[in-house]
Amino acid sequence: QVQLVESGGGLVQAGGSLRLSCAASGRTFGNYPAMGWFRQAPGKEREFVAGISWSGVSGSYADSVKGRFAISRDSAKNTMYLQMNNLKPEDTAIYYCAATNSAYNVLISRGQGTQVTVSS
């Protein structure tokens, strides 16, 4: 199974940007139908943020982040990224990456997460 490690979280003011990274080891992205970013805020359920297919061609986004976040991956580095721009306080959550099915609703393997805090 793939091991996933996130990095890049932190504290940022509203309107700022962060780039999260997800480094994979053990297996490559191509072994899974898709990869995705998810987040969970205190007291809230897990939320899909963005996903990318195994081919790396198509991306999907939650409506709440469309136009602000961009998912990408570097297959040579076995690393996936989430560029987050124009951050809002409601984006505050623990963000984690996961290997998923093609519908992004079954998590096959996930990382421990990285905290993103956006101050107003």
Side-chain angles (χ1 to χ4, degrees):
Q1 205 171 33
V2 66
Q3 288 78 49
L4 302 169
V5 178
E6 304 91 342
S7 61
L11 173 64
V12 65
Q13 288 188 332
S17 298
L18 284 174
R19 188 176 82 153
L20 305 183
S21 298
C22 172
S25 62
R27 303 191 77 179
T28 64
F29 294 133
N31 290 117
Y32 301 95
M35 299 288 295
W37 286 97
F38 298 81
R39 66 187 181 187
Q40 188 163 19
K44 295 187 177 181
E45 294 189 351
R46 181 186 74 206
E47 177 186 17
F48 168 78
V49 176
I52 190 165
S53 66
W54 72 268
S55 65
V57 174
S58 61
S60 297
Y61 297 91
D63 288 342
S64 59
V65 306
K66 278 181 182 176
R68 300 189 297 122
F69 290 12
I71 189 171
S72 63
R73 74 179 199 193
D74 185 333
S75 296
K77 295 182 179 179
N78 222 22
T79 301
M80 181 173 67
Y81 304 97
L82 184 68
Q83 177 66 44
M84 306 187 294
N85 299 324
N86 191 22
L87 282 161
K88 303 176 181 181
E90 52 264 41
D91 293 319
T92 295
I94 296 175
Y95 285 70
Y96 55 94
C97 60
T100 74
N101 64 344
S102 57
Y104 307 111
N105 57 11
V106 175
L107 275 59
I108 301 168
S109 183
R110 54 163 287 185
Q112 292 299 308
T114 184
Q115 177 71 47
V116 171
T117 303
V118 184
S119 63
S120 57

